[in-house]
Amino acid sequence: MPATPHVEKHFTASESVRDVVIGMADGLTVPFALAAGLSAAVVSTDVIVTAGLAEVVAGAIAMGLGGYLAARTDAEHYAAEERRENEEIDHLHEKEIAEVETIFRDYGLQGRALEDVVNSIASDRKRWVDFMMRFELGLERPDPKRAPISAATIGGSYIVGGLIPLVPYMLAHQITTALQISVASTGVALLCFGAIKGHFTGMNKMKAALQTLLVGGLAAGAAYWLAHLFG
């Protein structure tokens, strides 16, 4: 009888997926809360649209810049640790050899097998440094082009998410009608986004969708209540 092939279904969320999640999460929530809050304090949809678009632009720039700086910081941190590992190999050679042995000994290697593996890694300096970066420090070499890509992805996702709650105010002139449509459309968007996020992160889709909706709803509800209270 032929054996059933084993297919592993692991998923590791990529950096791009993470950036989309960051941008969309804030993009859907912050402008939605702002628009809902202003709906209780102003009488013109034009004011809400103007304030909302200003927030979306400012938020996209701030979030994108934050993503850029975070990616640059990761790259600079990796480069600094890589230089340190090279210096330690030069000046603390035996100590670095012992660290490699310790790592493999924790995986069960002993005796001649351990000696052969350690000698093989130590025979190639680049391979040795890469090994220490990954298995001693837990660092992966970052993509040198990551910073601008991360900035564009986060900023673009924020804009897309931020426009969803604002479009109803652009199309409807009655604030009450626009608010109702905005709540409905943003609620659906939050549910869909949460489910998609759950799919890519391995979380239960229904749970992720409801959590995302709850966060967005609480933020918008609090903003609306405060604006109504003080308005």
Side-chain angles (χ1 to χ4, degrees), residues 163-174:
L163 288 176
I164 292 175
L166 294 180
V167 169
Y169 293 92
M170 300 176 187
L171 301 179
H173 297 291
Q174 293 293 327

Side-chain angles (χ1 to χ4, degrees), residues 9 11 31 50 52 78 85 134 169 173 186 199 210 222:
K9 297 181 179 180
F11 177 84
T50 301
Y78 187 94
E85 282 299 327
R134 177 175 296 182
Y169 293 92
H173 297 291
T186 307
H199 170 75
L210 292 176

Side-chain angles (χ1 to χ4, degrees), residues 155-166:
S157 299
Y158 191 96
I159 291 174
V160 172
L163 288 176
I164 292 175
L166 294 180

